[in-house]
Amino acid sequence: MAPGPTRVGRTDVVRLFAIGVLPAFAQGFVIRRPLALRLTAALDTHAWGCRVLDDLRERYGPGPVLATAFGRTGLVLLSAEDARRVLAETGVSFTSANREKMAALSHFEPDALLISPGAVKVERRRFNEAAIDGCAADPGFREACRAVVEEEIRPLLVGDTLTWKRFHAAYQRIVRRIIFGDAARDDERITDLRDKLRSDGNWLMLHRKRHRLRAELFARTQGYLDLPEPGGLARGVRATPAAAEIEPVAQMQHWFFAFDAAPISDYLTLGLLACRPEQAARARADRAYLRACVLEAQRLWPTTMVILRDTTVETHWQGGWILPAGTAVIFCNPFFHRDVRLLPYADRFEPEVWLDGRADAQWSIAPFSRGPARCPGKEIVLSTSATLLTELLARDWRVTSSNRLGPERPLPRTADHTSLRFAAGNRAVHG
Ligand code: HEM
């Protein structure tokens, strides 16, 4: 018999699907469904999914396992070494343009870098990096971002309570201004279009394409690029030469979509710090530590639940077996980020791991991915988050909703940010 990875039987496939995939699908891979999120957080369904993977590793060893469902075969990664290999070899044996991801994202960002195959990916990556890094390196852009964040967040400091709804609405204005410029501040329609199409993306290929909505989303984006003086990242796009196949407007849709993960981790960071006054005091005084807190919230509750790849060619694996081209490869972030076998701090809030090199050394901790397809927006996200949380931490916050974010017990693996509510303490508002 040819050597090969363990192929799990029907019972394990059903467990993987029912306990791992279905609750995540219900939450929404592309945009969270608040009701399902509340329910899955109450049940802590990510903990169930992690247990299934732990159990497979216990029974079959650390090598990856193959599972087939609905005619599609996926290789489920269970070891940090395999995770590293797949991320590092993206663009060689593995493509980020995985079939399911393409089905989900093509509703609103066909031609975006993340789902671009082959040679065009190289050109689009170059364009994305030039436009984003060019802005991030420009002191004028950085200063404008800081001013935008302060202006939008300060009204939140006036009231005595903070809810997800208010926080998210303010963040939407920040994202529109950073991506499209100040002219887009109140363009709620563009956010609405994006989110309607993201809801379609939650259904992958099961939802029909709404071409008219997408055309409107693209036309509005083009409108900001065509302004005499575009602002935000749109200015970087205008300044970056682009051949026809680059499709700059499609690239911007990914930025606009991806930025919507930042409010989730920032709000959870605030929740964690509100339950830890000493760490909040340090975060106020030390920006590097505050950035580490945001990364730590992303480790604990990764907003990207799964990193998917497809093999592009027959791929040799350790042990001498060959994976056929077109196989899905599954990197499950909530599992790797809380791997109790590898990480003594798995279920604790320990921002120090991002400062002393422990988290960076583990490729299996990858909230912004790693390797050739790593996130080029990471720096903008982290600096926006640090500015925003510095502003918010001008007040003391207390969590007033029921929550399990405190240090007394292991942190849950599923978190519902939408139910978190805060009350402000006495610290003086500055400015
Ligand atoms: C909290 C916010 C964000 C998180 C957690 C995040 C995370 C990620 C992850 C995990 C990937 C790899 C996905 C995969 O391989 O399947 C990725 C790719 C990417 N991200 Fe982000 N991202 C964020 C925000 C942003 C922003 C704001 C931008 C742009 C300004 C951006 C631009 C990109 C691009 C262009 C890619 C595709 C890279 C490639 O395929 O080569 N991201 N991001």
Side-chain angles (χ1 to χ4, degrees):
M1 210 170 78
T6 303
R7 182 177 280 281
V8 298
R10 198 174 303 161
T11 314
D12 281 325
V13 171
V14 171
R15 286 173 71 221
L16 271 172
F17 205 79
I19 299 176
V21 180
L22 267 186
F25 182 83
Q27 269 190 43
F29 285 109
V30 185
I31 188 167
R32 299 290 186 268
R33 301 180 177 99
L35 263 181
L37 184 60
R38 200 162 306 163
L39 183 65
T40 52
L43 299 169
D44 200 4
T45 54
H46 280 329
W48 305 351
C50 290
R51 272 201 293 278
V52 174
L53 295 179
D54 270 330
D55 175 57
L56 290 178
R57 189 166 58 181
E58 200 63 45
R59 283 191 284 137
Y60 301 119
V65 294
L66 272 178
T68 302
F70 305 111
R72 176 86 159 128
T73 298
L75 186 77
V76 183
L77 303 175
L78 297 174
S79 80
E81 293 72 32
D82 288 334
R84 182 187 184 110
R85 174 185 171 188
V86 169
L87 295 184
E89 289 181 18
T90 295
V92 185
S93 328
F94 308 98
T95 175
S96 63
N98 149 276
R99 204 193 297 172
E100 288 71 24
K101 201 192 298 176
M102 286 175 86
L105 301 186
S106 58
H107 284 276
F108 56 96
E109 53 172 62
D111 300 315
L113 171 63
L114 186 55
I115 52 170
S116 298
V120 72
K121 167 129 192 166
V122 178
E123 292 308 313
R124 288 180 178 157
R125 174 89 200 181
R126 207 169 285 149
F127 173 84
N128 271 264
E129 284 179 354
I132 297 171
D133 295 350
C135 287
D138 171 10
F141 174 83
R142 289 206 303 269
E143 177 50 29
C145 288
R146 195 191 52 76
V148 161
V149 171
E150 287 179 5
E151 191 184 315
E152 297 296 348
I153 287 301
R154 283 196 178 157
L156 299 184
L157 295 169
V158 175
D160 281 337
T161 56
L162 183 60
T163 59
W164 168 251
K165 201 170 163 204
R166 281 184 75 211
F167 179 75
H168 193 226
Y171 221 121
Q172 293 306 315
R173 291 190 286 276
I174 292 171
V175 169
R176 286 194 294 264
R177 292 174 74 178
I178 293 182
I179 304 269
F180 304 115
D182 288 344
R185 179 183 188 271
D186 298 316
D187 187 354
E188 290 177 8
R189 175 68 182 162
I190 200 166
T191 305
D192 189 43
L193 287 165
R194 177 199 68 184
D195 290 350
K196 281 196 168 96
L197 293 168
R198 284 169 71 192
S199 305
D200 298 352
N202 269 350
W203 294 99
L204 311 173
M205 55 289 275
L206 300 176
H207 201 288
R208 72 184 167 85
K209 294 267 169 26
R210 291 198 274 178
H211 295 285
R212 214 166 38 80
L213 293 189
R214 198 170 76 203
E216 189 184 341
L217 175 66
F218 276 42
R220 284 184 108 85
T221 304
Q222 188 65 53
Y224 292 117
L225 283 173
D226 290 343
L227 289 175
E229 287 202 30
L233 288 169
R235 184 187 299 241
V237 171
R238 262 269 285 273
T240 308
E245 73 268 17
I246 297 297
E247 309 281 1
V249 169
Q251 307 313 316
M252 292 180 78
Q253 298 318 317
H254 183 78
W255 310 348
F256 187 31
F257 149 62
F259 222 145
D260 202 28
I264 300 178
S265 44
D266 291 357
Y267 202 60
L268 287 168
T269 305
L270 187 68
L272 289 160
L273 291 174
C275 300
R276 292 166 182 77
E278 278 176 25
Q279 284 166 294
R282 182 168 170 199
R284 270 185 200 103
D286 178 351
R287 195 172 165 97
Y289 184 76
L290 182 52
R291 284 167 63 110
C293 292
V294 174
L295 285 164
E296 184 63 347
Q298 271 286 353
R299 178 184 71 81
L300 291 163
W301 300 291
T303 49
T304 304
M305 288 190 266
V306 70
I307 296 180
L308 296 172
R309 299 283 181 262
D310 278 354
T311 50
T312 47
V313 288
E314 281 193 342
T315 302
H316 291 261
W317 214 274
Q318 227 175 8
W321 49 272
I322 294 174
L323 201 61
T327 309
V329 181
I330 301 155
F331 174 115
C332 184
N333 297 55
F335 171 69
F336 281 122
H337 286 196
R338 303 275 197 119
D339 188 346
V340 281
R341 281 210 188 170
L342 205 62
L343 313 172
Y345 50 87
D347 293 319
R348 291 199 305 268
F349 177 59
E350 202 160 311
E352 289 75 10
V353 302
W354 293 97
L355 297 172
D356 59 22
R358 274 180 290 164
D360 283 334
Q362 291 293 352
W363 272 53
S364 51
I365 304 178
F368 289 90
S369 194
R370 307 248 191 170
R374 70 194 171 281
C375 176
K378 179 179 173 186
E379 189 45 45
I380 286 184
V381 167
L382 289 180
S383 70
T384 304
S385 300
T387 306
L388 180 141
L389 284 163
T390 302
E391 278 301 301
L392 274 181
L393 290 169
R395 297 196 76 171
D396 282 323
W397 297 97
R398 191 165 44 82
V399 181
T400 53
S401 50
S402 72
N403 76 90
R404 284 188 46 201
L405 300 184
E408 326 57 54
R409 48 185 173 155
L411 288 161
R413 300 210 171 174
T414 324
D416 170 19
H417 55 277
T418 64
S419 304
L420 262 187
R421 276 191 308 280
F422 297 89
N426 297 327
R427 186 174 289 265
V429 179
H430 65 259

